[in-house]
């Protein structure tokens, strides 16, 4: 008997790899009614398992949630069914639809590929079933905007792909993988304005960042670090081996490098005393309540043993970052800050500047994530497959 080891990937090679993502969209809203209109390419409209229509130019479907968590399906102005699920399936890849939310009224969006709609708790759950490259192009434009160098778009595509694949089960219980909010990744439209982004996504197709054990890394990024990145445990209480604070000179002269905010002293004192029992009557600490300086990033206000995390101050007063100094002036506390965002991982404005200076996307990634590796995830998945033993008589 002849025993052969057969790797299934040889039958289905990795270079035809394609992946569809399930992205929950319009998650900031409780959507009761939405209209999907033709934008590019036709769509078949299914209610549960029945084909009700094919969406052609100038046509639309109108969906609204009913009192018993079903969906009223209208093709044009005519109701054709009440169903539990509606799926609009593109007749070819890269077709797109206009999403026009009527209740509540929300600015129109366009998304490529398919969409699935169900109802729960009196609202519609809208899931864009989208090719990963189309998803990433929309994310990179939402996160990075237009007018940037292609190497910046490449590194942002690398970051966004790594993040998406690592956290794709985050919303699994809700019926999708990721959502369109910033805590997943901003995804407010399909790519609209910059074809260079599509090129960047395709030129980095399959590329991700992994640690020394070949695990996908936490691909955190933020707008501007203010000249120094943050330790992850300053933000989330846990250290990450491949991320540590360092001085970054690439972002210090960019538009979000500095900020200022004024807060009434009464509000400042009330918060610190109420939330953290700041010792205002202490002869040393009391007069210091409005004065704070951090030459390098800190985790706590004044002294660690006081137990006042800067991240809590940032959240309460809606500050751009935790990287600030402050002093009293009149009846106010003046905060002069640096950076925008949590400060962990890749600094977007620093990466943009590096791309302008001619650094490659891999050089940019490794600058902010020293010790990680940039690999082709598709190839890794392929070569990590276990061989199947086939016995031949």
């Amino acid at each position: 008997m002849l025993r052969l080891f057969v790797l299934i990937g040889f039958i289905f090679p990795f270079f035809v790899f394609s992946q569809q993502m399930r992205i929950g969209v319009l998650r900031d809203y409780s959507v009761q009614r939405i209209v999907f209109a033709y934008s590019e390419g036709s769509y078949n409209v299914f209610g549960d398992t029945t084909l009700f229509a094919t969406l052609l130019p100038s046509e639309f479907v109108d969906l609204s949630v009913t009192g018993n968590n079903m969906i009223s399906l209208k093709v044009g102005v005519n109701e054709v069914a009440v169903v539990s699920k509606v799926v609009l399936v593109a007749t070819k890849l890269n077709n797109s639809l206009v999403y026009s939310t009527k209740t509540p009224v929300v600015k129109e969006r366009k998304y490529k590929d398919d969409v699935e709609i169900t109802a729960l708790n009196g609202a519609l759950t809208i899931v864009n079933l989208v090719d990963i490259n189309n998803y990433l192009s929309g994310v990179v434009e939402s996160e990075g905007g237009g007018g940037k160098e292609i190497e910046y778009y490449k590194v942002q595509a690398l970051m966004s792909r790594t993040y998406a694949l690592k956290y794709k089960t985050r919303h699994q219980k809700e019926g999708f993988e990721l959502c369109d909010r910033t805590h997943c990744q901003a995804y407010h439209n399909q790519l609209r304005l910059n074809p260079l982004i599509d090129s960047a996504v395709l030129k980095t197709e399959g590329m991700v960042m992994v640690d020394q054990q070949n695990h996908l890394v936490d691909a955190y990024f933020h707008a501007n670090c203010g000249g120094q990145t943050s330790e992850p445990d300053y933000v989330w209480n846990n250290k990450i081996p491949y991320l540590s604070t360092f001085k970054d000179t690439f972002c210090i002269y960019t538009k979000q490098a500095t900020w200022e905010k004024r807060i009434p002293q009464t509000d400042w004192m009330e918060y610190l005393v109420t939330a953290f029992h700041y010792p205002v009557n202490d002869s040393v600490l009391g007069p210091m309540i409005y004065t704070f300086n951090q030459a390098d990033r800190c985790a706590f206000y004044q002294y660690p043993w006081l137990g006042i995390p800067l991240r809590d101050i940032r959240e309460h007063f809606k500050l751009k970052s935790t990287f600030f100094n402050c002093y009293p002036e009149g009846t106010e506390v003046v905060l002069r800050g640096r950076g925008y965002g949590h400060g962990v991982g890749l600094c977007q404005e620093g990466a943009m500047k590096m791309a302008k200076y001619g650094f490659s996307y891999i050089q940019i990634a490794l600058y902010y994530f020293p010790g990680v590796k940039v690999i082709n995830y598709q190839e890794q998945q392929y070569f990590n497959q276990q061989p199947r033993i086939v016995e031949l008589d």
Side-chain angles (χ1 to χ4, degrees):
M1 183 177 295
L2 181 63
R3 295 163 65 87
L4 297 178
F5 289 88
V6 179
L7 196 61
I8 300 303
F10 287 122
I11 302 173
F12 302 104
F14 62 82
F15 51 79
V16 298
F17 176 91
S18 180
Q19 183 171 1
Q20 187 183 71
M21 302 289 293
R22 296 179 59 87
I23 311 298
V25 297
L26 295 160
R27 297 301 297 170
D28 284 324
Y29 310 97
S30 177
V31 178
Q32 277 87 52
R33 180 180 168 222
I34 188 169
V35 170
F36 295 95
Y38 181 98
S39 175
E40 182 177 348
S42 59
Y43 278 78
N44 290 323
V45 182
F46 292 89
D48 293 330
T49 58
T50 303
L51 174 63
F52 283 98
T54 299
L55 203 61
L56 298 173
S58 301
E59 295 182 340
F60 63 91
V61 294
D62 188 336
L63 309 181
S64 55
V65 64
T66 68
N68 58 346
N69 284 320
M70 299 291 281
I71 301 171
S72 167
L73 167 58
K74 293 181 179 179
V75 177
V77 296
N78 300 314
E79 184 178 78
V80 296
V82 176
V83 295
S84 60
K85 180 192 289 187
V86 175
V87 184
L88 280 69
V89 180
T91 56
K92 62 181 178 64
L93 187 66
N94 295 327
N95 286 1
S96 63
L97 287 166
V98 176
Y99 292 42
S100 182
T101 307
K102 301 300 184 183
T103 309
V105 176
V106 178
K107 184 178 179 180
E108 282 187 353
R109 301 183 180 187
K110 287 185 182 180
Y111 289 115
K112 289 187 176 181
D113 303 329
D114 306 341
V115 61
E116 173 188 287
I117 306 95
T118 54
L120 180 67
N121 298 328
L124 298 173
T125 299
I126 302 154
V127 181
N128 182 206
L129 312 176
V130 57
D131 177 81
I132 188 170
N133 288 336
N134 289 336
Y135 167 66
L136 292 173
S137 292
V139 167
V140 171
E141 187 170 62
S142 294
E143 293 283 1
K148 311 300 188 303
E149 304 289 331
I150 190 169
E151 292 303 310
Y152 168 71
Y153 290 133
K154 285 182 182 179
V155 77
Q156 188 66 62
L158 173 74
M159 301 285 297
S160 297
R161 184 182 297 106
T162 302
Y163 193 93
L165 293 175
K166 183 175 178 70
Y167 290 104
K168 64 179 295 188
T169 60
R170 171 173 281 172
H171 289 283
Q172 194 169 39
K173 292 181 179 178
E174 297 162 86
F176 46 92
E177 294 167 336
L178 298 168
C179 76
D180 59 342
R181 290 170 162 173
T182 53
H183 76 264
C184 284
Q185 296 187 106
Y187 177 57
H188 300 150
N189 251 305
Q190 68 180 40
L191 178 67
R192 296 172 296 167
L193 304 173
N194 195 337
L196 197 62
I197 292 175
D198 258 342
S199 177
V201 169
L202 291 174
K203 286 181 178 179
T204 62
E205 187 168 15
M207 303 303 290
V208 295
M209 296 191 300
V210 297
D211 62 19
Q212 296 304 312
Q213 288 73 46
N214 287 334
H215 299 140
L216 292 166
V217 305
D218 290 296
Y220 296 121
F221 54 87
H222 56 278
N224 187 299
C225 70
Q228 183 183 3
T229 63
S230 177
E231 292 283 358
D233 58 323
Y234 289 5
V235 182
W236 300 296
N237 289 336
N238 60 297
K239 288 188 175 293
I240 299 175
Y242 43 83
L243 286 175
S244 58
T245 185
F246 70 92
K247 297 294 179 68
D248 177 14
T249 59
F250 288 104
C251 68
I252 57 177
Y253 298 113
T254 55
K255 64 179 181 179
Q256 298 184 104
T258 60
W259 54 270
E260 181 178 306
K261 185 166 184 172
R262 292 172 177 266
I263 297 170
Q265 290 181 11
T266 52
D267 294 351
W268 189 260
M269 178 182 287
E270 181 182 7
Y271 173 67
L272 293 182
V273 172
T274 302
F276 303 105
H277 308 290
Y278 189 93
V280 289
N281 296 320
D282 184 273
S283 60
V284 176
L285 293 172
M288 295 171 57
I289 189 170
Y290 306 122
T291 304
F292 177 59
N293 292 288
Q294 50 178 329
D296 294 322
R297 281 187 178 266
C298 301
F300 295 94
Y301 188 68
Q302 305 293 13
Y303 300 103
W305 52 267
L306 285 173
I308 306 174
L310 289 171
R311 63 172 181 249
D312 290 7
I313 295 177
R314 180 194 175 203
E315 182 178 357
H316 180 79
F317 290 107
K318 297 179 173 56
L319 307 179
K320 290 186 176 181
S321 73
T322 61
F323 199 7
F324 64 85
N325 301 331
C326 64
Y327 58 89
E329 186 177 277
T331 60
E332 297 176 317
V333 182
V334 181
L335 286 78
R336 294 186 181 275
R338 287 173 276 176
Y340 195 158
H342 52 62
V344 178
L346 180 132
C347 170
Q348 289 176 303
E349 290 192 347
M352 291 172 194
K353 184 72 66 155
M354 291 183 73
K356 278 189 175 181
Y357 288 157
F359 289 93
S360 73
Y361 82 96
I362 292 179
Q363 288 174 316
I364 297 169
L366 297 183
Y367 175 73
Y368 288 103
F369 290 79
V372 309
K373 298 181 290 185
V374 177
I375 68 166
N376 190 305
Y377 187 70
Q378 300 167 11
E379 292 180 6
Q380 184 200 38
Q381 295 294 97
Y382 170 74
F383 287 113
N384 282 350
Q385 293 180 91
Q386 295 297 315
R388 177 181 296 179
I389 298 175
V390 179
E391 296 185 352
L392 301 178
D393 293 329

